[in-house]
Amino acid sequence: MKKTYFASDVHLGSDLFGPPVEREKQFVRWLDTIKADAEALYLLGDIFDFWFEYKKVVPRGFTRFLGKLCELHDQGIEIHYFTGNHDMWLSGYLANETGVIIHTQPLATTIGGKQFYLAHGDGLGDNSLAFRIMSKVFHNKFFKFLYSNLLPTHIGIGFGSAWARSSRQKDLKNPTPYLGENKEHLIIYSKKHLNEHPETDYLIFGHRHIMLDFPLPPHARILILGDWMRYFSYAEFNEEKLELKQFKNPPF
Ligand SMILES: [Mn+2]
């Protein structure tokens, strides 16, 4: 039976939980295990800890991962890549090189007869001033232009990596534990979304770095995917059931 897989928050390149290459290898091993029965793969954001595409230059590294993406794509697996808050600046390279379909906005789509709502999840349900300012700066075309064209590449990448490192310290090392139904932005947001789109069956998000499978009666569910820093978690949908799972590193 063909399956659809969902994963997020791999933060490739981050050394917060040991050598980055070890986690990259582990994620690639998982991609290797799913390629036998995957029809589609949804990467729901923050796959890279920091990523930026200049006109002629991309950050170095990640070759195993990029190669594996190409392999899966060439084999006919549809790969969807959602930008997160750590890898929002894409300008064609990743899509052209690996064949992934880039999404910069949430996506409502039908898979196996079920209605899915997919997003990285940053900012959804969060109306704080801090978020709005950050978001304006990072999505500002002029700022992106300055960054791409005026800053020397190594300084831009160095600055970006340093930013990712500083912003991840509190978020990634010790993610805020589950806050409860009434405080989790993504649950609040999902309830609102469900009111407006009652046909939705499954809402899947990344971003929070917690694993959560939350029912929204009568029929909907919210999944928060966890991450590949502490949980090595993903969701699997086989057209009958949707499950949140953890990759148990197999002997190689
Ligand atoms: Mn993240």
Side-chain angles (χ1 to χ4, degrees):
M1 189 184 292
K2 286 281 185 186
K3 294 178 181 171
T4 303
Y5 292 90
F6 307 85
S8 75
D9 297 278
V10 189
H11 288 265
L12 291 172
S14 166
D15 58 6
L16 205 58
F17 290 82
V21 76
E22 291 308 319
R23 283 184 313 108
E24 181 181 1
K25 282 181 181 169
Q26 199 162 16
F27 191 60
V28 164
R29 279 202 285 277
W30 176 68
L31 293 173
D32 256 330
T33 65
I34 68 165
K35 71 182 181 193
D37 60 8
E39 190 159 38
L41 167 66
Y42 288 83
L43 297 172
L44 292 188
D46 283 2
I47 301 305
F48 297 103
D49 197 47
F50 174 70
W51 181 261
F52 189 88
E53 295 177 6
Y54 294 86
K55 209 164 174 195
K56 306 270 186 202
V57 180
V58 294
R60 67 194 226 170
F62 319 117
T63 43
R64 287 177 187 80
F65 170 65
L66 293 171
K68 192 54 69 182
L69 275 192
C70 295
E71 185 188 326
L72 265 62
H73 170 261
D74 292 349
Q75 191 187 306
I77 298 170
E78 193 177 287
I79 306 173
H80 296 262
Y81 186 101
F82 287 63
T83 54
N85 49 317
H86 283 241
D87 54 3
M88 61 183 78
W89 281 348
L90 300 164
S91 52
Y93 169 80
L94 201 65
N96 294 336
E97 193 68 20
T98 68
V100 301
I101 301 160
I102 305 285
H103 300 273
T104 57
Q105 297 293 327
L107 175 73
T109 188
T110 309
I111 305 170
K114 296 284 186 186
Q115 299 293 325
F116 283 75
Y117 182 81
L118 309 170
H120 178 56
D122 59 315
L124 300 182
D126 178 3
N127 290 315
S128 69
L129 184 64
F131 178 80
R132 278 180 289 147
I133 291 173
M134 275 276 286
S135 172
K136 275 229 159 47
V137 170
F138 281 104
H139 290 106
N140 183 295
K141 284 210 172 75
F142 181 64
F143 183 72
K144 185 181 172 191
F145 171 84
L146 291 180
Y147 194 91
S148 333
N149 292 284
L150 297 184
L151 270 187
T153 315
H154 68 283
I155 294 179
I157 299 245
F159 167 78
S161 308
W163 168 79
R165 211 170 297 131
S166 69
S167 87
R168 81 195 177 197
Q169 291 303 339
K170 75 172 168 41
D171 296 346
L172 302 189
K173 190 79 184 177
N174 296 302
T176 311
Y178 175 59
L179 292 170
E181 181 175 354
N182 298 322
K183 287 194 178 157
E184 282 292 339
H185 288 145
L186 290 173
I187 297 183
I188 297 166
Y189 178 84
S190 296
K191 286 180 176 172
K192 200 166 144 266
H193 182 84
L194 208 61
N195 266 337
E196 292 157 14
H197 307 274
E199 72 283 5
T200 311
D201 295 300
Y202 303 126
L203 302 101
I204 307 183
F205 306 101
H207 186 58
R208 262 298 267 122
H209 294 253
I210 57 173
M211 286 177 70
L212 183 73
D213 186 343
F214 191 87
L216 285 178
H219 67 278
R221 269 160 72 199
I222 307 171
L223 259 60
I224 302 182
L225 290 173
D227 65 18
W228 281 73
M229 306 185 95
R230 299 187 305 160
Y231 300 115
F232 308 95
S233 47
Y234 62 96
E236 185 181 307
F237 177 61
N238 69 5
E239 305 197 356
E240 277 171 14
K241 59 179 192 226
L242 175 69
E243 285 179 290
L244 198 51
K245 294 184 165 183
Q246 283 178 285
F247 182 54
K248 304 293 182 212
N249 202 5
F252 217 62

